[in-house]
Amino acid sequence: ERGICYAILQGPTVGDTKVVQGEGVGTFTTLLTGLQLGTTYYVRAYAINENGTAYGNEVSFTTDIMEPTVTTAAATGVAYTSATVGGEVTSDGGSEVTEHGICYSLTSNPTINNEKLALGSGIKAFSTTLENLQAGTTYYVRAYAINKKGIAYGEEISFSTTSYTLPLVTINIPATISYTQAVIAG
């Protein structure tokens, strides 16, 4: 038997994970699948015959990482000057999420270069209430997450704050007037 054995610790043996590549002498190639992102693996070729198991030299490699995966939640509690927004980091991409939060602006596709609220780190859901917004205005929001690979943004959502509507007030001509009083209805 011949093949490749590998592990996340140095000195892998056939007792660790192995991929058998047939038997006999000659060159062979193995595709390792199902590996974890951002992880160092140690690999050795091996061959087994009636005298035992021989190992080739050890090599190592580190799998690449990806940007994190983040989603943007729908806005809730939209009022005249406030709204609650949030998101969720669903994958760290193989590297720790060092910051996540919300970015927003009055134009489409906000980035962290626009208004930004950092709301923590790690893989989790988060939310915040945006305050001091302009009434009757459309805002664009995206959740974001940052790891060693870069910045990832969730899908864009938008909401419009409620417009102020002033009440209509009327006053009637005083109905009863005396020396020191007047009855007025409105």
Side-chain angles (χ1 to χ4, degrees):
E1 179 181 305
R2 68 181 188 180
I4 298 289
C5 57
Y6 64 97
I8 59 173
L9 299 175
Q10 293 181 340
T13 68
V14 292
D16 293 307
T17 305
K18 71 177 182 175
V19 179
V20 177
Q21 289 293 306
E23 56 186 49
V25 297
T27 303
F28 58 92
T29 302
T30 301
L31 173 64
L32 303 180
T33 61
L35 304 177
Q36 296 178 6
L37 297 171
T39 303
T40 299
Y41 288 91
Y42 299 90
V43 182
R44 295 196 295 180
Y46 73 89
I48 302 173
N49 67 15
E50 64 273 358
N51 295 317
T53 303
Y55 294 97
N57 61 310
E58 181 178 278
V59 296
S60 66
F61 64 90
T62 301
T63 55
D64 200 7
I65 59 174
M66 301 178 352
E67 289 178 347
T69 304
V70 61
T71 60
T72 307
T76 60
V78 178
Y80 296 109
T81 61
S82 64
T84 299
V85 293
E88 182 176 6
V89 178
T90 57
S91 169
D92 64 7
S95 174
E96 177 187 1
V97 173
T98 56
E99 181 180 310
H100 62 242
I102 295 294
C103 54
Y104 64 100
S105 73
L106 298 175
T107 58
S108 189
N109 293 319
T111 69
I112 62 170
N113 296 322
N114 298 111
E115 295 292 331
K116 160 185 118 153
L117 293 172
L119 300 172
S121 61
I123 301 174
K124 61 184 167 185
F126 51 91
S127 68
T128 189
T129 299
L130 301 177
E131 297 180 338
N132 300 318
L133 302 176
Q134 298 173 17
T137 304
T138 299
Y139 287 87
Y140 299 89
V141 178
R142 292 197 297 177
Y144 73 90
I146 301 172
N147 71 3
K148 285 183 183 178
K149 185 75 171 187
I151 303 167
Y153 294 96
E155 62 281 357
E156 178 182 87
I157 60 118
S158 65
F159 66 88
S160 295
T161 53
T162 309
S163 295
Y164 284 117
T165 304
L166 296 175
L168 177 60
V169 179
T170 60
I171 191 164
N172 296 328
I173 298 173
T176 307
I177 302 173
S178 69
Y179 294 104
T180 60
Q181 295 180 340
V183 176
I184 300 175

